[in-house]
Amino acid sequence: MTKRNTIILLLISFFVWLFAFRGFVRGELSLQSDATSYYDFFRYYIENLTRGVFPMWEPTRAGGVPIEFFLRRIGSFNPFILLIVIFDAIGFSYTTAYFLFLSTYYFVGMIGYFLIARHLFRSNALAFIAYLLLMFSSLGTRLFDSYIILTCVPMIWFFYFLITFFHEPKKHRLIGIVFCLMLLVTTYIPFYFVTIFITFLISYLIIYFRTLKTIFSRVSIFIKENKFLVILCLVITAVSLVPGVLIYKDMSKGEFVLPMRHYGSDSVNSMEVNINTITKWAMIEDITYSGYFANLKDFKFAVVYVPPLLYLLLILGFTAEITSLFLFLFIWGGINFLIASPDITNLYQYLYEHVFYFKYFRNLHFFLWMLILPVGILLLIEQFRQVLNFKLSSKFKKIALILFVSIAHALLLCFMIFEGGNIASSYIAIGLSALLFILYFLDKLKLESLPFIALLFLSIIVQPVEVYNYLQKNSLKQEKWYRYLDHDASWYRYRYYNEYSILRIPTAEEIDALRNKQNSDPESMTVFLREDPFRVYMAAKWYYFLMKTLDQKFFNSYQAWGPFRVYDYIEQIPDSEDIDLERIAFAFKNGRNVAFVVGDNIPYTNEKQSKLDNEYAQGISGDSQEVKVLHFDINQLRLKTNFPKRKFLVHNDAYHSRWHAYIDGNEVPLYRANVAFKGLWVPEGEHVVYLQFEKNWRHILNYFYLFLFFTIFISLIYFWIKSLECKDNAK
Amino acid sequence: MLNNLWIKRIAGLFKKVGIFYLFIFLIFANFTDYKKVIYKAKLSTLNRLRPISSSYLVEIEGRDLRSVDKKLLEKHEKYYKSVVNVLPTLPGPYGLLGYCQYYLGDERRSIDSFKKATALNSNIFSYFYNLGVIFYNQGRYEEAINNFKQAMSKNPAATVNFVYTSKVYLPILQDNSLGAQAAISKRIKQAYQYNVEMLVLSHYQLKQYREMTVLANAAISKGFDVDGEFYYLSGLAYYETRDYPQADQMLRECIKRNPQHAQAYHYYSLILRAAGQNDLASEFEVKSKHWESHQKIKHKNYVRLF
């Protein structure tokens, strides 16, 4: 297989893959499950970023939340995200641009996998089989219902750069390792990778211990020759850990809650997950679930599926001999299987108790997709490699092998029919595969020849294309309700409008109006239901407390007062959940002229309490005489105030201690007011009030990271091209 | 020499991947309780297999089978089949499976499922009632009577409690705002009334008029009658036995309670005609025709969710 042919085949297979998922790529079918919120957050992030704002606050979710958690989930510094902007600029709709980004990113990951396989097996043909099997496995379906791919792609490339670096240290490989590490530690959630990497090292030590000396000597020579680069890479790696450390520290304070995720955990850190939640659904459950979809016409998301050729490789490989590579892959996959199957051994429980990071990630079944599937394919290719190399010295041996191959195919066909997978393409795939192997063992086809590859290509892709067609048929047809699409509902119009509108929970009428629009898709309603206090995914702690404890009607009526409330008096309340909420709710309901404020030494506390019964708080919009919104974006708000006397201004956006307030350029205390919101004293007369989420250094840091990631990515490409040029020159 | 060759061959076998897999499998089979692991995994998967909403199950109750979206209902059927597979000792999944099968037009399997449900818990009213309905529709009146009688003998509270506490019914109750115990009681109370009506009708089909009158009159005296139906059924039985004075009384009571009861007008007109009051009879026949054309026929011979 020539280089040119390989590239053409890789591209053709990608286009076939795109064709197989055309309904999703064209945006005709809805994203499912977690993929929806990722779509939303990507959009939110990119739309803000392209307007020059690095978003750190999200005012429309549960009254306002910091989004550091979601920025980490999407891997906000990943240069590949730029693809969405590019596709968008070319003229694709955002949805299509997003799907094209996902698909391209997936393809990039598969190329990395191809390179790993080629490095291991030293054969383009075998690498191409591995690539096709993984690409057309149901890992690709997870683009549209999960976010696994965001971690998988850098992980694949990390291992590619790592093993090639060990084999032959080069600058671009070291930069590649660092770049992938940077992506992995800033993308949700690095702990899968950490576990997979540690188990990789353990397995490697067990099987290849003797080679360590050679590797060390190679690497030490490289370090001696490239001291500056190595130190720089170490520093950059350490620096890329900072966003992760910051979010860990922020989460540890407990100001940001993830009720559904954190449910049942005693820890203050909202990232921590209860062990029962984690072990409820692990790898065995995912495999069992997939068993219900043996009838491929019922194919759905999250079902483990591989092209039928893989089963043939398994059966044929029984006759292969155990090799070091086989054992290494088996041990590596095996350890992860045991970790991710808490019902089989107590290994996971042990790690949960003794290794700190095991408390911070769930979805153990992801190991199946991230590791077991790709490693399993490599393992079977390793078996297959030996089968192909069998020396068939006699005619009898040849006939025996052909008979074995035929029986294996017949058995697989029977199994498929019995299990309900008897779709037309199954017969074609098995037939083509049988023809391929028989011709090969009769010496009519050569492994690296184009006819072999073409026949193999067809036998692998034919069934997945039909299966994914069923997946599309079984998926939601109409466009789902995505959060950041323009919408009629007034509560939703928060972005870049001239008027400043309050962000609040929609009223019952607004929800009804939306329901009428969306009633054809029952799933879309979950978007609204998540605003329900019992279905909140993430929120600022005190806002969530208020949502949970205050009657929804009180809450809505308070919110309906508008973005600001102005008070003459304040009353101090304790910084705990032990507050007289009934009295506070009464005050809210009756619009009493007192704000309930948390803090020490707050000026003008408890003044003139006796007059309260006859005085009312003032609800103010953003374009009144007293308060005028000068500028706002997602992270900040600038107001011009002009009160006849000193007032306590409450901004009805959730409180978080990382918000800061300034009056005429001077920082002033910002209090937690009315249990969950932001409040501050504003003096009489004309002033400019400025509220900003996070200090300036955090904003600068984000831009610095964007710059750093792009720089490293460009360096990687530069050094790689340079290395290829050197190789060509050497030839 | 030969021995050496064979020893080499046997030793070589242990280097084979197939033997290695077999070895690993044996370790797993011996050192793990894999049956328990798989059972637990199957239990966990059931929730995910459940269709997004169960409101369609409530929607189709009482509907003409031809108007049922079979594809949608098959998803529910498949789910309950999976539940039955994992939890074969629970009656609830069998009951719901039988319900799906009935509306998919597969009465034979539906009967099997309901019979299994009754065998697993003989205190549940609904399963006997549903069996009675299917047998009635098939013209197997003796079996229908037997099941309606069984249903009638069950304590409604036991059924309410069963439905309210069963995990398999929980999503149906939640998705359809039927979660309150009072709502379940109301449905089951109505089903009991239908059960007696169906029992009376079964006797009617077998021309067992005496049993009809006994049952209908008992239902009236127990306050089961809501819309004059039992007065009508009692009147019908008296009419068939030519006890016109009694029939007259009962049918008039029925009309008093339900002035739109077309059948009651019809039989009342027949009695009047027999008594020679042809003009009056014609007048009631007209009323019968009028209400017949306006009447929304309330089928009762359908399988119920619970």
Coordinates of all heavy atoms in Angstrom, one line a residue, chain A residues 279-281 284-286 288-289 292-293 298 302 314 317-322 326-327 330 337-338 343-344 379-380 383 523, chain B residues 12 14-21 24 28 32 37-38 40-42 44-46 48-49 52-53 71 75 78 82 85-86:
Chain A
T279 N -21.0 3.4 40.9 CA -21.0 2.0 40.7 C -22.3 1.5 40.1 O -22.4 0.3 39.7 CB -20.6 1.2 41.9 OG1 -21.5 1.6 43.0 CG2 -19.2 1.4 42.3
K280 N -23.3 2.3 40.2 CA -24.7 1.9 39.7 C -24.6 1.5 38.2 O -25.3 0.6 37.8 CB -25.6 3.1 39.9 CG -27.1 2.7 40.0 CD -27.9 3.8 40.6 CE -28.0 5.0 39.8 NZ -28.7 6.1 40.4
W281 N -23.8 2.2 37.5 CA -23.7 1.9 36.0 C -22.3 1.9 35.6 O -21.7 3.0 35.5 CB -24.5 3.0 35.2 CG -24.7 2.5 33.8 CD1 -23.7 2.7 32.8 CD2 -25.8 1.9 33.2 NE1 -24.2 2.1 31.6 CE2 -25.5 1.6 31.8 CE3 -27.0 1.4 33.7 CZ2 -26.4 1.0 30.9 CZ3 -27.9 0.8 32.8 CH2 -27.6 0.6 31.4
I284 N -19.9 -3.4 32.9 CA -20.8 -4.6 32.7 C -22.2 -4.2 32.3 O -22.8 -4.8 31.5 CB -20.8 -5.5 34.0 CG1 -19.4 -5.9 34.4 CG2 -21.7 -6.6 33.9 CD1 -18.8 -7.0 33.5
E285 N -22.7 -3.1 32.9 CA -24.0 -2.6 32.6 C -24.1 -2.2 31.2 O -25.1 -2.5 30.5 CB -24.4 -1.5 33.6 CG -24.8 -1.9 35.0 CD -23.6 -2.3 35.8 OE1 -22.5 -2.1 35.4 OE2 -23.9 -2.9 36.9
D286 N -23.0 -1.5 30.7 CA -23.0 -1.0 29.3 C -23.1 -2.2 28.4 O -23.8 -2.2 27.3 CB -21.8 -0.2 29.1 CG -22.1 1.2 28.6 OD1 -23.3 1.6 28.8 OD2 -21.3 1.8 27.9
T288 N -24.1 -5.3 29.0 CA -25.4 -5.9 29.2 C -26.5 -5.2 28.4 O -27.3 -5.8 27.7 CB -25.8 -6.0 30.7 OG1 -24.7 -6.6 31.4 CG2 -27.1 -6.9 30.9
Y289 N -26.5 -3.9 28.5 CA -27.5 -3.0 27.8 C -27.4 -3.3 26.3 O -28.4 -3.4 25.6 CB -27.2 -1.6 28.2 CG -28.1 -0.6 27.5 CD1 -29.4 -0.4 27.8 CD2 -27.5 0.2 26.4 CE1 -30.2 0.5 27.1 CE2 -28.3 1.1 25.8 CZ -29.7 1.2 26.1 OH -30.5 2.1 25.5
Y292 N -29.3 -6.1 24.6 CA -30.7 -6.0 24.2 C -30.9 -5.5 22.8 O -32.0 -5.5 22.3 CB -31.4 -5.0 25.1 CG -31.6 -5.6 26.5 CD1 -30.8 -5.2 27.6 CD2 -32.6 -6.5 26.8 CE1 -31.0 -5.7 28.9 CE2 -32.8 -7.0 28.0 CZ -32.0 -6.6 29.1 OH -32.2 -7.2 30.3
F293 N -29.8 -5.1 22.1 CA -29.9 -4.6 20.8 C -29.3 -5.4 19.7 O -28.7 -5.0 18.8 CB -29.4 -3.1 20.7 CG -30.2 -2.2 21.6 CD1 -29.8 -2.0 22.9 CD2 -31.4 -1.6 21.2 CE1 -30.6 -1.3 23.8 CE2 -32.1 -0.9 22.0 CZ -31.8 -0.7 23.3
D298 N -33.0 -2.3 15.6 CA -33.4 -1.5 16.8 C -32.3 -0.6 17.3 O -32.4 -0.1 18.4 CB -33.9 -2.4 18.0 CG -35.1 -3.2 17.6 OD1 -35.8 -2.7 16.7 OD2 -35.3 -4.3 18.2
A302 N -25.4 4.5 22.5 CA -24.8 3.9 23.7 C -24.8 2.4 23.6 O -24.7 1.7 24.7 CB -25.4 4.4 25.0
L314 N -11.3 -12.5 16.0 CA -11.3 -13.2 17.3 C -11.2 -14.7 17.1 O -10.3 -15.4 17.7 CB -12.5 -12.8 18.2 CG -12.7 -13.5 19.5 CD1 -11.6 -13.0 20.5 CD2 -14.0 -13.3 20.1
G317 N -8.1 -15.9 15.4 CA -6.9 -15.6 16.2 C -6.7 -16.7 17.3 O -5.6 -16.7 18.0
F318 N -7.7 -17.5 17.6 CA -7.5 -18.6 18.6 C -6.3 -19.4 18.3 O -5.7 -20.0 19.2 CB -8.7 -19.5 18.6 CG -9.9 -18.9 19.3 CD1 -11.2 -19.4 19.2 CD2 -9.8 -17.7 20.1 CE1 -12.3 -18.9 19.9 CE2 -10.8 -17.1 20.7 CZ -12.1 -17.7 20.6
T319 N -5.9 -19.5 17.0 CA -4.8 -20.4 16.7 C -3.5 -19.6 16.8 O -2.4 -20.2 16.6 CB -5.0 -20.9 15.2 OG1 -5.2 -19.8 14.4 CG2 -6.1 -21.8 15.1
A320 N -3.5 -18.3 17.0 CA -2.3 -17.5 17.1 C -1.5 -17.8 18.4 O -2.1 -18.3 19.3 CB -2.6 -16.1 17.0
E321 N -0.3 -17.4 18.4 CA 0.5 -17.6 19.6 C 0.5 -16.3 20.4 O 0.4 -15.2 19.9 CB 1.9 -18.0 19.2 CG 2.0 -19.5 18.7 CD 3.4 -20.1 18.8 OE1 4.3 -19.3 19.1 OE2 3.5 -21.3 18.6
I322 N 0.7 -16.5 21.7 CA 0.8 -15.4 22.6 C 2.1 -14.6 22.4 O 3.2 -15.3 22.5 CB 0.6 -15.8 24.1 CG1 -0.7 -16.5 24.3 CG2 0.8 -14.7 25.0 CD1 -0.8 -17.3 25.5
F326 N 0.7 -8.9 22.6 CA -0.6 -9.4 22.9 C -0.8 -9.4 24.5 O -1.8 -8.9 25.0 CB -0.8 -10.9 22.5 CG -2.0 -11.6 23.0 CD1 -3.2 -11.5 22.2 CD2 -2.0 -12.3 24.1 CE1 -4.3 -12.1 22.7 CE2 -3.1 -12.9 24.6 CZ -4.3 -12.9 23.9
L327 N 0.2 -9.8 25.2 CA 0.1 -9.9 26.6 C 0.0 -8.4 27.2 O -0.8 -8.2 28.1 CB 1.3 -10.6 27.2 CG 1.2 -12.1 27.4 CD1 2.4 -12.6 28.0 CD2 0.0 -12.5 28.2
F330 N -3.4 -7.1 26.5 CA -4.4 -7.8 27.4 C -4.3 -7.4 28.8 O -5.4 -7.1 29.4 CB -4.1 -9.4 27.3 CG -5.2 -10.2 27.9 CD1 -6.3 -10.6 27.2 CD2 -5.1 -10.5 29.3 CE1 -7.3 -11.3 27.8 CE2 -6.1 -11.3 29.8 CZ -7.2 -11.6 29.1
F337 N -10.5 -3.1 32.8 CA -11.8 -3.8 32.8 C -12.1 -4.0 34.3 O -13.3 -3.8 34.7 CB -11.7 -5.1 32.0 CG -12.9 -5.9 32.1 CD1 -14.0 -5.6 31.4 CD2 -13.0 -7.0 33.0 CE1 -15.2 -6.4 31.5 CE2 -14.1 -7.8 33.1 CZ -15.2 -7.5 32.4
L338 N -11.1 -4.5 35.1 CA -11.4 -4.8 36.5 C -11.7 -3.5 37.3 O -12.6 -3.5 38.1 CB -10.2 -5.5 37.1 CG -10.0 -6.9 36.5 CD1 -8.8 -7.6 37.2 CD2 -11.2 -7.8 36.7
D343 N -18.5 -4.7 40.2 CA -19.2 -5.8 40.7 C -18.4 -7.1 40.7 O -18.7 -8.1 41.3 CB -20.5 -6.0 40.0 CG -21.5 -4.9 40.2 OD1 -21.4 -4.4 41.4 OD2 -22.3 -4.5 39.3
I344 N -17.3 -7.1 39.9 CA -16.5 -8.3 39.7 C -15.5 -8.3 40.8 O -15.3 -9.4 41.5 CB -15.9 -8.3 38.3 CG1 -17.0 -8.5 37.3 CG2 -14.8 -9.4 38.2 CD1 -16.5 -8.5 35.9
L379 N -5.4 -5.7 19.9 CA -5.1 -7.0 20.4 C -5.5 -8.1 19.3 O -4.8 -9.0 19.0 CB -5.8 -7.3 21.7 CG -5.6 -8.6 22.4 CD1 -5.3 -8.3 23.9 CD2 -6.7 -9.5 22.3
L380 N -6.7 -7.9 18.8 CA -7.2 -8.8 17.8 C -6.4 -8.7 16.5 O -6.2 -9.7 15.8 CB -8.7 -8.7 17.5 CG -9.6 -9.0 18.7 CD1 -11.0 -8.8 18.4 CD2 -9.4 -10.4 19.2
Q383 N -3.3 -10.7 16.9 CA -3.6 -12.1 16.7 C -3.7 -12.4 15.2 O -3.1 -13.4 14.7 CB -5.0 -12.5 17.3 CG -5.0 -12.5 18.8 CD -6.4 -12.9 19.3 OE1 -6.7 -12.6 20.4 NE2 -7.3 -13.4 18.5
E523 N -39.1 15.1 24.6 CA -37.7 15.2 25.2 C -37.3 16.6 25.4 O -36.5 16.9 26.3 CB -36.7 14.4 24.3 CG -36.6 13.0 24.7 CD -35.2 12.5 24.5 OE1 -34.5 13.0 23.7 OE2 -34.8 11.6 25.3
Chain B
G12 N 3.4 -26.4 23.1 CA 3.1 -25.4 22.1 C 1.6 -24.9 22.2 O 1.3 -23.7 22.0
F14 N -0.1 -24.5 24.8 CA -0.3 -23.5 25.9 C 0.2 -22.1 25.5 O -0.1 -21.2 26.2 CB 0.4 -24.0 27.2 CG -0.3 -25.1 27.8 CD1 0.1 -26.5 27.6 CD2 -1.4 -24.9 28.6 CE1 -0.7 -27.5 28.2 CE2 -2.1 -25.9 29.2 CZ -1.8 -27.2 29.0
K15 N 0.8 -22.1 24.4 CA 1.2 -20.7 23.9 C 0.1 -20.1 23.0 O 0.2 -19.0 22.5 CB 2.5 -20.8 23.1 CG 3.7 -21.1 23.9 CD 4.9 -21.0 23.0 CE 6.2 -21.5 23.7 NZ 7.3 -21.7 22.7
K16 N -0.9 -20.9 22.8 CA -2.0 -20.5 21.8 C -3.0 -19.5 22.5 O -3.3 -19.8 23.7 CB -2.7 -21.7 21.3 CG -1.9 -22.6 20.4 CD -1.7 -22.0 19.1 CE -0.8 -23.0 18.2 NZ -0.3 -22.3 17.0
V17 N -3.4 -18.6 21.8 CA -4.3 -17.6 22.3 C -5.6 -18.2 22.8 O -6.2 -17.9 23.8 CB -4.6 -16.5 21.2 CG1 -5.8 -15.6 21.6 CG2 -3.3 -15.6 21.0
G18 N -6.1 -19.2 22.0 CA -7.4 -19.8 22.3 C -7.3 -20.5 23.7 O -8.3 -20.3 24.5
I19 N -6.2 -21.2 24.0 CA -6.1 -21.8 25.3 C -6.0 -20.7 26.4 O -6.5 -20.9 27.5 CB -4.8 -22.7 25.3 CG1 -4.9 -23.8 24.3 CG2 -4.5 -23.3 26.7 CD1 -6.0 -24.8 24.5
F20 N -5.3 -19.7 26.1 CA -5.2 -18.5 27.1 C -6.5 -18.0 27.4 O -6.9 -17.8 28.6 CB -4.3 -17.5 26.4 CG -4.1 -16.2 27.3 CD1 -3.3 -16.3 28.4 CD2 -4.8 -15.1 27.0 CE1 -3.1 -15.1 29.2 CE2 -4.7 -13.9 27.8 CZ -3.8 -14.0 28.9
Y21 N -7.4 -17.8 26.4 CA -8.7 -17.3 26.6 C -9.5 -18.3 27.5 O -10.3 -17.9 28.4 CB -9.5 -17.0 25.3 CG -9.0 -15.8 24.6 CD1 -9.1 -15.8 23.2 CD2 -8.6 -14.7 25.2 CE1 -8.7 -14.6 22.5 CE2 -8.2 -13.5 24.5 CZ -8.2 -13.5 23.2 OH -7.8 -12.4 22.5
I24 N -8.4 -17.9 31.1 CA -9.0 -16.7 31.7 C -10.5 -16.9 32.0 O -11.0 -16.6 33.1 CB -8.8 -15.5 30.8 CG1 -7.3 -15.2 30.5 CG2 -9.5 -14.3 31.3 CD1 -6.5 -14.7 31.7
F28 N -12.4 -16.8 35.7 CA -13.6 -15.9 35.9 C -14.8 -16.8 36.4 O -15.4 -16.4 37.4 CB -14.0 -15.2 34.6 CG -13.6 -13.8 34.7 CD1 -12.3 -13.4 34.2 CD2 -14.4 -12.8 35.2 CE1 -11.9 -12.1 34.3 CE2 -14.0 -11.5 35.3 CZ -12.7 -11.1 34.8
T32 N -15.4 -15.7 40.3 CA -16.4 -14.6 40.5 C -17.8 -15.2 40.4 O -18.0 -16.3 39.8 CB -16.3 -13.6 39.3 OG1 -16.5 -14.3 38.1 CG2 -14.9 -13.0 39.3
V37 N -23.4 -11.1 39.1 CA -22.9 -9.9 38.4 C -23.9 -9.5 37.2 O -24.3 -8.4 37.0 CB -21.5 -10.0 37.9 CG1 -21.1 -8.9 37.0 CG2 -20.6 -10.1 39.1
I38 N -24.1 -10.6 36.4 CA -25.0 -10.4 35.2 C -26.4 -10.0 35.6 O -27.0 -9.1 35.0 CB -24.9 -11.6 34.3 CG1 -23.5 -11.8 33.7 CG2 -26.0 -11.5 33.2 CD1 -23.3 -13.1 33.0
K40 N -27.4 -8.5 38.3 CA -27.4 -7.1 38.8 C -27.3 -6.1 37.6 O -28.0 -5.1 37.6 CB -26.2 -6.9 39.8 CG -26.3 -5.6 40.6 CD -25.1 -5.4 41.5 CE -25.0 -4.0 41.9 NZ -24.4 -3.1 40.9
A41 N -26.4 -6.5 36.7 CA -26.3 -5.6 35.5 C -27.6 -5.5 34.7 O -28.0 -4.5 34.3 CB -25.2 -6.1 34.6
K42 N -28.3 -6.7 34.6 CA -29.6 -6.7 33.9 C -30.6 -5.8 34.6 O -31.4 -5.1 34.0 CB -30.1 -8.1 33.8 CG -29.4 -8.9 32.7 CD -30.1 -10.2 32.5 CE -29.5 -10.9 31.3 NZ -30.1 -12.3 31.1
S44 N -30.0 -3.2 36.5 CA -29.6 -1.8 36.2 C -30.0 -1.3 34.9 O -30.4 -0.2 34.7 CB -28.1 -1.6 36.4 OG -27.7 -2.0 37.6
T45 N -29.9 -2.2 33.9 CA -30.2 -1.8 32.5 C -31.7 -1.6 32.3 O -32.1 -0.9 31.3 CB -29.7 -2.9 31.5 OG1 -30.3 -4.1 31.8 CG2 -28.3 -2.9 31.4
L46 N -32.6 -2.2 33.1 CA -34.0 -2.1 32.8 C -34.5 -0.6 32.8 O -35.3 -0.3 32.0 CB -34.8 -2.9 33.9 CG -34.7 -4.4 33.8 CD1 -35.5 -5.0 34.9 CD2 -35.2 -4.9 32.5
R48 N -32.9 2.0 31.9 CA -32.5 2.6 30.6 C -33.3 2.1 29.4 O -33.5 2.8 28.4 CB -31.0 2.5 30.4 CG -30.5 3.4 29.4 CD -29.0 3.3 29.2 NE -28.3 4.1 30.2 CZ -27.0 4.4 30.1 NH1 -26.3 4.0 29.0 NH2 -26.4 5.0 31.0
L49 N -33.8 0.9 29.5 CA -34.5 0.3 28.4 C -35.9 0.9 28.3 O -36.6 0.8 27.3 CB -34.6 -1.2 28.5 CG -33.3 -2.0 28.3 CD1 -33.5 -3.4 28.7 CD2 -32.9 -1.9 26.8
I52 N -39.1 6.5 26.8 CA -39.0 7.8 27.4 C -40.3 8.2 28.3 O -40.2 8.6 29.4 CB -38.8 8.9 26.4 CG1 -37.5 8.7 25.6 CG2 -38.8 10.3 27.0 CD1 -37.3 9.5 24.4
S53 N -41.4 7.9 27.7 CA -42.7 8.3 28.4 C -43.6 7.1 28.3 O -43.7 6.4 27.3 CB -43.3 9.5 27.7 OG -44.6 9.6 28.1
K71 N -46.0 0.5 16.2 CA -44.5 0.6 16.4 C -44.1 1.2 17.7 O -43.2 0.7 18.4 CB -44.0 1.6 15.3 CG -42.7 1.2 14.7 CD -42.3 2.0 13.6 CE -40.8 1.8 13.3 NZ -40.3 2.7 12.3
K75 N -42.4 -0.9 21.4 CA -41.3 -0.5 22.2 C -41.6 -0.8 23.7 O -40.7 -1.3 24.4 CB -41.0 1.0 22.1 CG -40.3 1.3 20.8 CD -40.0 2.8 20.7 CE -39.4 3.1 19.4 NZ -39.2 4.6 19.2
K78 N -41.6 -4.6 24.2 CA -40.2 -5.1 24.3 C -39.6 -4.8 25.6 O -38.9 -5.7 26.2 CB -39.4 -4.4 23.2 CG -38.1 -5.1 22.9 CD -37.3 -4.4 21.8 CE -35.9 -5.1 21.8 NZ -34.9 -4.3 21.1
S82 N -38.4 -7.6 28.5 CA -37.1 -7.6 29.1 C -37.3 -7.6 30.7 O -36.5 -8.3 31.3 CB -36.3 -6.3 28.8 OG -36.3 -6.1 27.4
N85 N -38.2 -11.0 31.7 CA -37.0 -11.9 31.6 C -36.1 -11.8 32.8 O -35.6 -12.8 33.3 CB -36.3 -11.4 30.3 CG -35.4 -12.5 29.8 OD1 -35.5 -13.7 30.1 ND2 -34.4 -12.1 29.0
V86 N -35.9 -10.6 33.3 CA -35.0 -10.4 34.4 C -35.7 -10.7 35.7 O -35.2 -11.2 36.7 CB -34.5 -8.9 34.4 CG1 -33.5 -8.7 35.6 CG2 -33.8 -8.6 33.1

